[in-house]
Amino acid sequence: MGVINSVLNFIVPPASLMMLAFAWPTLFFISTCEWIYTCYFNTEDMDNKVVVITGASSGIGEQIAYQYAKRHANLVLVARREQRLRVISENARWLGAPNVLIMAADVVKEDDCRRFINETINYFGRLDHLVNTVTLGHSFYFEEAPNSNLFPILMDINFWGNVYPTYVALPYLRESNGRIVVNASVENWLPLPRMSLYYAAKSAVMNFYETLRFEVKDEVGITVATHGWIGTEMVKGKLVMEEGAEMQWKEEREVQASGSPVEEYAKMIVSGACRGQPYVKHPSWYDVFFLYKVFAPKVLYWTFRFLLIDGGARTTSFIGTGRPLLEGSSTDSKRPGSPLLEAASPRRVAGNPEKKFIGSPERLFTGSPAGSRRFE
């Protein structure tokens, strides 16, 4: 068996590349025909259908809400910033949404997920699209994490924050032959430094939905949107680890996203979901790196090492980690390279199981990043 595998290891990769090269024109023609058919003859009419959007209080989630509103869908906007949701709900109504409900909820709590899904069914009687955009990112080396308490927080938001709403909503989506839309990231297979935990969680999300796609078959559609680097809130450095302090929440969050790559990406997501596309990619040229990852991983590794080289030893200060400073390091936590994390631990925030569409604002976060990490 070992000899057979050795021979196949030598033959299969080049043979597969040759077959793909010869088959590419035919596959491209078939894909083009499918795209034309779905664009002009098979686009889902969202008029008066019901869409639940998590992480809807800014960024990708907000822009997705506006795109569905333009298609006259009924919206259920879920996030932890209720005051911000009020503003977005008014904008969505102005753009054409017949009805907009807002709910303050924490998607890492199953009870909260059951609450907003049940309220959706009680009010509208159906659910057609579930859009998961919640994400929490970071920008520090793995060994710089202040403590291991961050690890389950990042997994809670980035993984369970997608799984719980899907688990609760799936029976209703089966009834309507609905669709799940997921905001993922190209880094689930193309990782870069300083985001190891985030990328690990995104890989788990991607594999979860790829498996679920086989389980639900044609009863529920799944659209996975992957993006490269898109500027949203965390690009602008909202959270830093300050000297002698813990991770802190900065109230600088109202970043204008319209007219930006974020709006373009959101439009692509909604259009792709309504056409029944399994994947939406922005930009699509990132896919070429996947070939290198499979067939020439060392070339990809060497290329990134060259592009990301910082010209010397790392100089991160480790402030707040309880570790000694590296030789020649700086204590300036606001320079590039210092740990970044947006949002406080969801485990420290008391949830409100009480039903409400509009109520007192809660200083909680959800998120909808794209490439750059951003949160609500």
Side-chain angles (χ1 to χ4, degrees):
M1 191 65 181
V3 175
I4 295 175
N5 284 329
S6 298
V7 173
L8 292 177
N9 287 341
F10 182 76
I11 294 176
V12 170
S16 298
L17 281 176
M18 292 181 63
M19 291 176 61
L20 183 61
F22 283 112
W24 182 257
T26 302
L27 293 174
F28 181 77
F29 175 75
I30 293 173
S31 297
T32 302
C33 291
E34 289 180 343
W35 181 83
I36 293 173
Y37 173 74
T38 55
C39 281
Y40 295 99
F41 303 104
N42 197 37
T43 300
E44 182 178 2
D45 182 8
M46 295 304 300
D47 190 22
N48 271 319
K49 290 193 174 180
V50 181
V51 181
V52 171
I53 304 172
T54 65
S57 58
S58 61
I60 296 297
E62 176 185 355
Q63 293 300 319
I64 286 176
Y66 295 156
Q67 294 300 322
Y68 274 111
K70 292 176 183 178
R71 294 171 181 262
H72 306 290
N74 296 303
L75 303 179
V76 179
L77 306 180
V78 180
R80 302 177 82 169
R81 284 189 287 168
E82 195 167 310
Q83 279 188 324
R84 177 63 180 158
L85 288 178
R86 293 170 183 264
V87 176
I88 295 170
S89 67
E90 291 301 319
N91 293 340
R93 289 189 183 95
W94 184 82
L95 288 170
N99 298 284
V100 182
L101 303 184
I102 64 172
M103 301 189 198
D106 186 349
V107 292
V108 303
K109 298 176 181 178
E110 185 180 347
D111 289 342
D112 276 20
C113 295
R114 290 191 181 279
R115 174 169 59 85
F116 68 73
I117 293 297
N118 288 338
E119 292 295 346
T120 300
I121 298 302
N122 291 338
Y123 192 88
F124 292 107
R126 61 182 296 161
L127 173 59
D128 297 285
H129 283 199
L130 170 67
V131 184
N132 292 319
T133 71
V134 176
T135 302
L136 173 66
H138 65 86
S139 182
F140 51 74
Y141 288 101
F142 175 70
E143 60 185 327
E144 294 172 2
N147 55 64
S148 60
N149 292 337
L150 292 176
F151 303 164
I153 294 170
L154 288 163
M155 184 59 71
D156 281 348
I157 299 297
N158 293 309
F159 182 68
W160 296 114
N162 287 272
V163 172
Y164 287 147
T166 300
Y167 176 68
V168 177
L170 197 56
Y172 305 107
L173 292 170
R174 283 184 182 274
E175 291 179 2
S176 64
N177 290 116
R179 178 163 295 273
I180 301 168
V181 183
V182 187
N183 178 38
S185 174
V186 71
E187 290 91 350
N188 70 80
W189 59 265
L190 189 66
L192 296 173
R194 297 184 182 275
M195 297 180 181
S196 54
L197 298 169
Y198 171 78
Y199 293 157
K202 283 298 184 181
S203 296
V205 168
M206 191 72 171
N207 284 285
F208 167 73
Y209 283 107
E210 291 293 358
T211 304
L212 186 63
R213 195 193 302 276
F214 286 107
E215 294 181 2
V216 298
K217 300 178 181 178
D218 295 328
E219 296 180 36
V220 178
I222 296 177
T223 296
V224 177
T226 57
H227 54 75
W229 187 261
I230 298 178
T232 52
E233 285 179 356
M234 194 168 176
V235 176
K236 309 187 188 307
K238 293 299 172 292
L239 293 181
V240 297
M241 177 183 284
E242 298 180 347
E243 184 171 354
E246 295 181 352
M247 303 282 185
Q248 295 188 14
W249 179 247
K250 301 293 183 182
E251 295 297 337
E252 300 174 13
R253 305 149 54 73
E254 309 309 326
V255 177
Q256 180 57 255
S258 62
S260 69
V262 179
E263 184 178 14
E264 178 186 349
Y265 178 53
K267 185 175 181 179
M268 290 178 61
I269 291 174
V270 176
S271 296
C274 292
R275 291 198 297 263
Q277 292 181 347
Y279 303 100
V280 173
K281 302 172 184 179
H282 179 75
S284 59
W285 62 265
Y286 274 71
D287 286 352
V288 71
F289 291 119
F290 189 76
L291 292 176
Y292 284 98
K293 183 177 178 67
V294 173
F295 294 104
K298 288 186 177 179
V299 173
L300 191 63
Y301 176 75
W302 293 332
T303 301
F304 283 138
R305 281 289 299 270
F306 175 76
L307 293 176
L308 300 172
I309 190 168
D310 57 8
R314 187 175 55 194
T315 57
T316 306
S317 67
F318 291 100
I319 288 174
T321 65
R323 303 184 185 185
L325 302 182
L326 296 179
E327 185 177 354
S329 66
S330 167
T331 58
D332 183 1
S333 65
K334 295 189 179 183
R335 55 154 177 70
S338 59
L340 297 173
L341 180 68
E342 195 155 5
S345 166
R347 300 176 186 275
R348 297 181 183 177
V349 185
N352 182 2
E354 216 174 14
K355 161 181 156 182
K356 58 182 175 180
F357 293 112
I358 298 178
S360 60
E362 299 173 343
R363 185 162 298 183
L364 310 175
F365 73 85
T366 57
S368 339
S372 60
R373 265 39 65 188
R374 60 153 302 148
F375 322 87
E376 310 296 326

